Amino acid sequence: MTVPAPHQKAKGLKPGSPRPAKELCSDCGLCDTYYIHYVKEACAFINQQFDHLEEQTHGRSRELGKEDEVYFGVHQKMLTAQKKEPIPGAQWTGIVSTIGCEMLNKGLVEGVVCVQNTPEDRFQPQVVIARTPAEVLAAKVNKPTLSPNLSVLEEVEKSGLKRLLVIGVGCQIQALRAVEKQLGLEKLYVLGTPCVDNVSRAGLQKFLETTSRSPETVVYYEFMQDFRVHFKHEDGSTELVPFFGLKTNQLKEVFAPSCMSCFDYVNGLADLVVGYMGAPFGWQWLVVRNQTGQEMLDLVQDQLHIGQVSSSGDRHQAVQQGITAYDKAVTLPMWVAKIMGLVIDKIGPTGLEYARFSIDSHFTRNYLYVKRNHPEKLADHVPPFAKKIVEQYKLPQQ
Ligand code: FAD
Ligand code: SF4
């Protein structure tokens, strides 16, 4: 039997109290637990340690000479997939929920850390350790707000769970990897999603109110590969808003400071990542980082249509123009935005090139944010792979 490595415990912080990472805190949940003792080493916003944690998790850090690794992290392979029978109401086709269910069904894990919502609010995260497939399914669809996934870590250790699957986004997984050895687990599986531009619950409200025609009926949204935000409403209708029509001047302050200073869009420390941005519209994009990730994929392979990743177009000019437009908070009239959206959807980057477009746009924006707001952190906080990406572009001097 595995016993937890002896570790120090401190008292978790009370909800709402100041956090060690101050305004950069993403509310990953670690500080709600006695593992706060490790916060100085573990917090993604206090101690950037990708090289070390990639080495620990995948046996090596990403190769800076290989463009695919610079962008997408250490991986064995990438593919695209769709569930043959999509789960109704999932964010995409429900590959994440399906893997969670099968891990329990096959007895590979005893619990799955995932994010349901509170009874009162469909977008307010409620983190649970699901013990049954029904509880995993109840966590389907994104709660597009900061979520304290690691707040259940004390419960994991106290309940004696030995085999665990954690579903989570990059900042949560960085802190998780840093304390992994203290959890006393025999086996930890990590199923990640990419993540970008997350918001507090109040920020989400502002985003919905500035962008959607009917904020109170939105049940789901996604920034899609066709350069439009797709909102789904309670009555089943879909509303499309072109990226270029977003009210940048009002939305600049909406994204959480943690997300404005994050360089782990692709969840580099997960075993398997399931997103969409490297896949054609309607498909999901999978990055298998190591053998544990492959083991998870094998479990559901027969339930999936599988495709190859592809790439076309050249993102560079669009990214460079976007840097200036975002910086000046340019908001286009809606009719111009719609035409631009249609044109760029026809001739713009697709597949992995779309993913690179999105990574470049966010890393350049975030680099500028850290430089302007936390200059003392710039050198250590921005990892070498992100510096390499940012160096391709001309940034405003100030
Ligand atoms: P489902 O089967 O519907 O399962 C969704 C899972 O997400 C659930 O297991 C739940 O536990 C978990 N979850 C829900 N909310 C949160 C949360 N706030 N924090 C952590 N876990 C949560 N993919 C991209 O390719 N590009 C992006 O830019 C991108 N941005 C994202 C931003 C956010 C905030 C989130 C949560 C995800 C993002 N994704 C992004 C991932 C993508 O939207 C889908 O979640 C993913 O493709 C899985 O779809 P699915 O149908 O398999 O998931
Ligand atoms: Fe603590 Fe997580 Fe916030 Fe860092 S991001 S201060 S580890 S709760």
Side-chain angles (χ1 to χ4, degrees), residues 91-92 94-97 115 141-143 145 222 265 276-277:
Q91 185 71 15
W92 282 77
I95 294 177
V96 168
S97 297
V115 186
V141 80
N142 294 355
K143 286 66 196 186
T145 48
E222 191 77 88
Y265 194 168
Y276 65 90
M277 65 184 179

Side-chain angles (χ1 to χ4, degrees), residues 62 67-83 91-96 99 191-196 222-225 264-268 270-289 293 297 300 304-311 350-360 363 389:
R62 63 185 92 186
E67 195 196 37
D68 269 359
E69 292 223 347
V70 168
Y71 274 85
F72 308 124
V74 175
H75 59 275
Q76 295 183 345
K77 66 179 182 198
M78 293 194 272
L79 55 140
T80 63
Q82 274 179 333
K83 278 216 67 204
Q91 185 71 15
W92 282 77
T93 68
I95 294 177
V96 168
I99 292 173
L191 175 50
T193 65
C195 181
V196 83
E222 191 77 88
F223 285 73
M224 292 280 192
Q225 302 100 318
D264 192 22
Y265 194 168
V266 297
N267 213 326
D271 299 311
L272 172 66
V273 177
V274 180
Y276 65 90
M277 65 184 179
F281 186 68
W283 287 71
Q284 294 189 256
W285 170 58
L286 277 65
V287 185
V288 180
R289 299 205 180 284
L297 178 59
V300 300
L304 306 178
H305 294 299
I306 302 279
Q308 305 291 319
V309 283
S310 60
S311 187
T350 67
L352 292 179
E353 187 67 1
Y354 174 85
R356 291 185 204 100
F357 163 81
S358 193
I359 292 169
D360 287 357
F363 279 18
I389 288 172

Side-chain angles (χ1 to χ4, degrees), residues 17-190:
S17 56
R19 307 276 131 164
K22 304 192 179 114
E23 74 276 19
L24 291 184
C25 172
S26 69
D27 199 16
C28 78
L30 187 86
C31 292
D32 302 345
T33 72
Y34 49 56
Y35 296 99
I36 188 182
H37 177 79
Y38 298 97
V39 67
K40 274 197 188 149
E41 300 89 59
C43 177
F45 303 96
I46 298 177
N47 183 26
Q48 185 279 111
Q49 50 171 342
F50 280 102
D51 272 6
H52 163 65
L53 291 177
E54 281 179 340
E55 193 100 35
Q56 173 190 302
T57 308
H58 311 305
R60 65 180 182 86
S61 55
R62 63 185 92 186
E63 279 185 45
L64 295 185
K66 288 190 180 162
E67 195 196 37
D68 269 359
E69 292 223 347
V70 168
Y71 274 85
F72 308 124
V74 175
H75 59 275
Q76 295 183 345
K77 66 179 182 198
M78 293 194 272
L79 55 140
T80 63
Q82 274 179 333
K83 278 216 67 204
K84 291 175 185 165
E85 291 177 24
I87 297 178
Q91 185 71 15
W92 282 77
T93 68
I95 294 177
V96 168
S97 297
T98 306
I99 292 173
C101 291
E102 292 302 327
M103 295 286 285
L104 286 169
N105 284 336
K106 300 276 168 17
L108 282 167
V109 293
E110 301 148 310
V112 177
V113 174
C114 54
V115 186
Q116 299 178 351
N117 57 286
T118 60
E120 309 77 45
D121 181 354
R122 63 167 71 100
F123 289 134
Q124 184 68 48
Q126 181 154 303
V127 184
V128 298
I129 307 174
R131 305 290 196 123
T132 64
E135 288 168 347
V136 174
L137 284 176
K140 72 186 174 196
V141 80
N142 294 355
K143 286 66 196 186
T145 48
L146 301 175
S147 172
N149 283 29
L150 302 189
S151 60
V152 294
L153 284 189
E154 264 188 54
E155 204 185 318
V156 169
E157 195 186 327
K158 284 179 186 156
S159 62
L161 282 175
K162 292 294 166 205
R163 303 182 68 84
L164 185 74
L165 168 65
V166 175
I167 299 171
V169 299
C171 54
Q172 300 159 356
I173 303 308
Q174 286 177 60
L176 174 70
R177 289 300 192 192
V179 300
E180 178 178 349
K181 292 199 176 77
Q182 324 298 339
L183 302 176
L185 296 170
E186 277 163 15
K187 179 75 182 172
L188 171 68
Y189 293 85
V190 178

